[in-house]
Structures are given as structure tokens and as C-alpha cells.
Amino acid sequence: WQADPPDLWFTYHIYYKAPDWIGPAVCRTLGIPYVIGEASYAPKRAAGPWAAGHAAAGAAIRDADMILSPTRLDMNCIAGLLHNKNRNVFFPPFLDHAPFARARDDRGRSRAACAHDYDLDPDVPWLLTVAMMRDDAKRESYAVVARLLEHLRDTDYRYLIVGDGPAADDVKRMLSPWQDRIRFAGSVAPEALPTIYAAGDIYVWPAVDEAFGMAFLEAQAAGLPVIAGNERGVPDVTLDGTTALLAPPQDDKALAMMVRRLLADGALRATMSRAAADFVARERSLDGAAQRLGGLLRPLLGGRTS
């Protein structure tokens, strides 16, 4: 590599459990730019069993010519390490929206398929959640869901939940009072998700301690308005008031009021649905992200174009 070095070194997701021991040294030796995608820095790890990884992560962050941060929270956590604040760039999450857009364009078929597969009434609005059932913050989010459903006893809806995991039995127990309205799809193949998203009406997830949540982008790409807790990176993957309604963290009453509002207002749902699909296609698509990334990396290449 010394005779013909790469143009740039890119490392993804540095933090105390996964520092980059190699990249900074290689970049210093070869004189090439060093870029990190998603970096986290937790001062509470400066002592204890993760101290070495914490120190190495901090050193790599300080050495980086550019850090692409998917949330503003990530930007804040590393800001103190950087002398040049311009190296800390907001680069929001993105996805290949095409499969979700195609499913949305054929929403009638998607809804009919899900109505058949999950025994759902197509004439009643559907809530949707796609989330693992782990015994951590995911379980806490499902606990908030159980409380918010208490406030919707007098409303008419069906609720499809996609996901599985070690806390599945506990989640189903918490939601058992509404078992006549809820359908559990369990774990499904990734290629089946666009159809499921497109069939729904409202995406609901409290997002307790959620880093940002790719499911929010998937839901919006398929045209679902989002109702979520305003936690951590959620505001960076939604547009509050336009594609989503965000409640204070873990506020089940506020979340329930937002669900009730959208269930009652089909015109608002339709407006937010269009805005959600447009937002992802315009700002969070794979092509758009590629263009932004190219524009950011090009100045670091010093005339190299390979």
C-alpha cells in the first residue's frame, strides 16, 4: 500500500467496545484521510474494564479528518474531542426506499394480503409496530404501549405487531387485555416488511432509549405517519408535525391522544402519509445519501478521483 495507497480509510461505528486500533496508524503512515461513520464517546467508561477501548476510541475520534454522525446527539457526545468543529458532520440515516415505495403504490394489494394473512378487518384503521421483543428498552417500550392502549378503550382499531425475541411471552401478557384487537405476526422475512408497512395506517412506537430507529424510516418510506416518543435520535429520522407526531418520552397519555387524533382524522392521515413518503424519497434515500457522501468526501481526496 505504501507504493499505491488507498484514497481514504473509512471506519464504521467506533465506541468503547469497538475502537479502531488500526485505521489511525495506517492513515498516519500513508498520509491518507481518516473518516469515521457514527462515533460514540462515553466518559463514564474512562475507568473500569472498558478503559482501554474507551481511550482508543477517543484517540481515533481526535485523529479523524471527518466524522459522519447519524444523530445530533452523537454530534454532541464527541464535540469536546474535536478542535475543528467542521469535522463533525450531521449525516442522517438513510435506506433503499424503493421496495417500500413500490409496496405503497400497490397499497390495495398489500392491505388485502395482510388482511388475509393476519385476520384483520380492512375497513378499520390499523396500527403497526415492527420491533424486537428483547428484555431491555424494547420491553419498556411495549410496556408504554400497554399503558397507552388503556386510553383507547372506546376507539375502533386493529393492531399488527411484528417482532419476536426472549421477552415475547412477557409482551403478550402485557397486551393480553386487547387480544381481540391485536395480531402478533412474530418474526418475518425482511423482504416481507414493505408489504406489511404499506398495509398499515399509523406506525406506533414509544422508542424508549432508541438510538434513532430504522423502522421509522421504513414506515415513512411506505407512507405511514409515525407516532413516537421524542427520545434521542427519533427527531433526526422524522419531521415532527409533518410526517410524525412526537410525544414527551414515555408519556402514554400524550401518545394515546395522538393516536386518537389520527384515527379520527383520515384526511390528516392521508396528508401525513404523502409527506412521509416524500420526505424519505427526497432526503433519506440511498441515491440521495450517496450524493451527499460523495460531496463530503471529495474535498478530502486532494485531487484523487479513484
Side-chain angles (χ1 to χ4, degrees):
W1 277 9
Q2 291 185 358
D4 183 20
D7 292 333
L8 177 144
W9 181 292
F10 188 101
T11 294
Y12 176 70
H13 198 196
I14 285 178
Y15 73 118
Y16 67 93
K17 288 185 179 180
D20 185 0
W21 305 99
I22 302 171
V26 171
C27 290
R28 284 193 297 270
T29 301
L30 299 181
I32 61 174
Y34 178 58
V35 177
I36 300 172
E38 189 170 1
S40 297
Y41 188 72
K44 66 182 180 181
R45 303 296 180 180
W50 297 106
H54 168 78
I61 291 167
R62 291 185 186 94
D63 279 352
D65 294 284
M66 181 178 292
I67 297 175
L68 305 174
S69 296
T71 72
R72 291 177 176 86
L73 186 65
D74 288 327
M75 295 181 72
N76 293 337
C77 88
I78 63 174
L81 298 176
L82 304 176
H83 296 298
N84 182 353
K85 306 305 180 185
N86 292 329
R87 291 187 291 153
N88 194 6
V89 178
F90 179 50
F91 193 81
F94 57 91
L95 81 171
D96 181 2
H97 79 293
F100 301 92
R102 287 194 295 269
R104 179 177 183 261
D105 289 342
D106 198 10
R107 185 174 187 270
R109 186 195 63 80
S110 297
R111 193 167 177 90
C114 287
H116 176 269
D117 292 345
Y118 302 111
D119 188 26
L120 291 164
D121 183 348
D123 297 322
V124 175
W126 298 354
L127 310 181
L128 175 66
T129 289
V130 178
M132 288 291 294
M133 296 178 180
R134 296 195 302 262
D135 194 16
D136 54 13
K138 299 293 187 186
R139 183 196 176 283
E140 294 307 310
S141 281
Y142 279 111
V144 176
V145 168
R147 296 198 299 271
L148 80 84
L149 293 180
E150 284 277 2
H151 305 292
L152 299 176
R153 288 185 175 274
D154 61 337
T155 60
D156 197 11
Y157 65 88
R158 298 295 181 269
Y159 190 0
L160 180 60
I161 297 177
V162 178
D164 205 346
D169 290 343
D170 200 17
V171 169
K172 291 176 182 179
R173 179 190 57 77
M174 289 189 292
L175 299 176
S176 61
W178 304 277
Q179 58 186 346
D180 59 324
R181 304 186 188 190
I182 295 177
R183 303 292 183 269
F184 292 99
S187 179
V188 304
E191 57 269 22
L193 284 176
T195 293
I196 291 174
Y197 279 114
D201 292 289
I202 305 169
Y203 189 80
V204 179
W205 186 238
V208 175
D209 203 29
E210 194 82 57
F212 49 80
M214 288 300 295
F216 292 130
L217 283 183
E218 294 171 347
Q220 291 170 103
L224 266 68
V226 166
I227 294 176
N230 193 355
E231 290 210 31
R232 301 188 65 184
V234 176
D236 293 318
V237 293
T238 61
L239 297 177
D240 190 14
T242 302
T243 71
L245 300 177
L246 303 184
Q250 303 186 47
D251 190 334
D252 50 282
K253 290 184 180 179
L255 288 164
M257 288 178 61
M258 292 171 175
V259 172
R260 185 184 295 275
R261 178 184 176 191
L262 285 188
L263 285 174
D265 194 337
L268 178 59
R269 287 204 311 271
T271 297
M272 292 183 69
S273 171
R274 290 190 295 271
D278 290 347
F279 164 61
V280 176
R282 183 181 65 251
E283 299 187 25
R284 303 302 172 84
S285 69
L286 191 62
D287 288 343
Q291 292 177 19
R292 288 196 303 276
L293 184 60
L296 289 168
L297 298 183
R298 204 167 292 117
L300 298 179
L301 300 180
R304 296 185 295 273
T305 59
S306 60

